[in-house]
Amino acid sequence: ILSSCAGEKSNIVYDTFMLGFINPNTVIDKTPLNPNYRYLKVSVNNQPALLVLGYTDTPGSNPREIWYSAFKEVIQIENGRLVGTAGLDINWTEVKLQNPPPFSKVLTAPSIRRAYQLKHRYVRIRTLMPGYQVNIRETVVMQALDGTPSDAPKELADPKSNPHIRWVEETVLVASHAKNPSIQPLRAIYAIDSQTDQVIYGKQYLTSDDYVSWLTWPYPKQSTQINQKVSRLDSSELINESPVAMPVAAPLALSINSSLTTSAAVMSDR
């Protein structure tokens, strides 16, 4: 189902963009954006991409945001947590979160945090691809962090520039007698705006070596983009509007799997 949805919706995004960049981080940081759309700056194992919100689904009681890159990579976010990917080398599918506590509940004073820690946990069920490891059932433990984690993105690394950001860490609980190799102590971190309780940034390890991170983009939010009028991608609008509001005729495609070789080839054809 995920692949079908991705194929239908992401074609719109794919047709809107054209490849042509040398340093994707620099391009993302400097690209003028269309204020009518919502974006994420995503990194997969340090490979950056700019994703646009395709639509919001409601398969359960919580809204699920479906985000697309120019080359059909997909990530799904539910209340700030990663609940699905497609088009990556490693993917999580069929993700179900069983009553995860809100991040705000974990952001308690350090003196009483230990007493609450055992209560802040939930069960996650997922399938790992490739390999089709199905129904991986794991217990996720949440805890607040006293400071900024060492692997925070550059935009959030300085706490003085981000006084309202609070950090929460999640780790898969692995019992000492566990025999299931699919259960690994996978880690996730989240940056929460204490003024709005919104998740600004998240980083989730898919395996012990592979991760996906996402940052609300642009950050900090520009005043010209406060009043965004749409939250889903519409093909009729994209005929006349590009999610990347470039001052040149051909906008940039910012994709996780784009390579310098492909970029150079496309640029030579222009």
Side-chain angles (χ1 to χ4, degrees):
I1 296 176
L2 178 60
S3 298
S4 175
C5 292
E8 177 184 356
K9 292 289 183 179
S10 61
N11 281 338
I12 302 171
V13 183
Y14 180 86
D15 293 338
T16 306
F17 291 88
M18 179 177 291
L19 184 63
F21 61 89
I22 299 300
N23 187 326
N25 267 314
T26 300
V27 170
I28 292 174
D29 292 349
K30 295 183 177 181
T31 298
L33 303 177
N34 187 324
N36 293 332
Y37 298 95
R38 292 174 56 192
Y39 301 88
L40 290 180
K41 183 180 181 181
V42 172
S43 178
V44 178
N45 298 334
N46 206 34
Q47 295 297 314
L50 184 67
L51 273 65
V52 63
L53 178 64
Y55 64 100
T56 300
D57 197 9
T58 53
S61 57
N62 296 311
R64 178 171 295 194
E65 298 175 341
I66 316 298
W67 300 81
Y68 297 101
S69 78
F71 286 84
K72 307 183 183 182
E73 296 98 351
V74 180
I75 70 170
Q76 300 185 19
I77 304 294
E78 183 176 297
N79 290 337
R81 294 180 172 93
L82 185 73
V83 290
T85 66
L88 310 181
D89 292 338
I90 303 294
N91 291 288
W92 280 11
T93 65
E94 302 174 342
V95 180
K96 298 179 182 178
L97 308 181
Q98 296 186 351
N99 300 316
F103 292 108
S104 58
K105 285 191 175 182
V106 188
L107 297 173
T108 55
S111 60
I112 61 175
R113 186 176 299 144
R114 184 175 300 275
Y116 277 81
Q117 183 169 331
L118 292 178
K119 297 181 181 179
H120 295 315
R121 57 176 61 192
Y122 63 94
V123 172
R124 179 173 61 209
I125 302 173
R126 59 184 174 86
T127 293
L128 179 65
M129 301 290 285
Y132 200 57
Q133 301 178 44
V134 301
N135 293 328
I136 300 173
R137 185 182 180 92
E138 52 199 6
T139 299
V140 180
V141 178
M142 305 170 62
Q143 65 173 350
L145 299 178
D146 292 328
T148 303
S150 60
D151 55 342
K154 63 179 182 179
E155 294 87 354
L156 300 172
D158 183 5
K160 293 182 180 179
S161 301
N162 301 277
H164 302 297
I165 295 297
R166 301 292 180 268
W167 291 89
V168 172
E169 181 181 64
E170 294 187 340
T171 308
V172 172
L173 180 65
V174 180
S176 58
H177 59 276
K179 298 181 180 180
N180 186 347
S182 299
I183 306 299
Q184 302 177 8
L186 301 181
R187 173 175 171 266
I189 56 173
Y190 304 93
I192 292 88
D193 187 330
S194 60
Q195 294 183 315
T196 63
D197 288 337
Q198 297 297 309
V199 176
I200 303 300
Y201 171 82
K203 179 179 183 180
Q204 174 68 63
Y205 274 86
L206 307 177
T207 70
S208 58
D209 299 317
D210 302 282
Y211 73 85
V212 176
S213 69
W214 57 98
L215 173 67
T216 299
W217 197 252
Y219 183 85
K221 198 170 187 178
Q222 301 171 3
S223 59
T224 56
Q225 293 186 321
I226 293 178
N227 297 319
Q228 295 181 341
K229 72 177 184 180
V230 296
S231 62
R232 66 179 292 155
L233 215 58
D234 182 82
S235 58
S236 61
E237 290 185 345
L238 284 177
I239 294 174
N240 299 312
E241 283 192 86
S242 167
V244 178
M246 297 296 293
V248 294
L252 300 171
L254 308 176
S255 174
I256 295 165
N257 291 323
S258 298
S259 66
L260 294 180
T261 302
T262 306
S263 298
V266 173
M267 291 179 71
S268 66
D269 291 337
R270 294 179 58 184

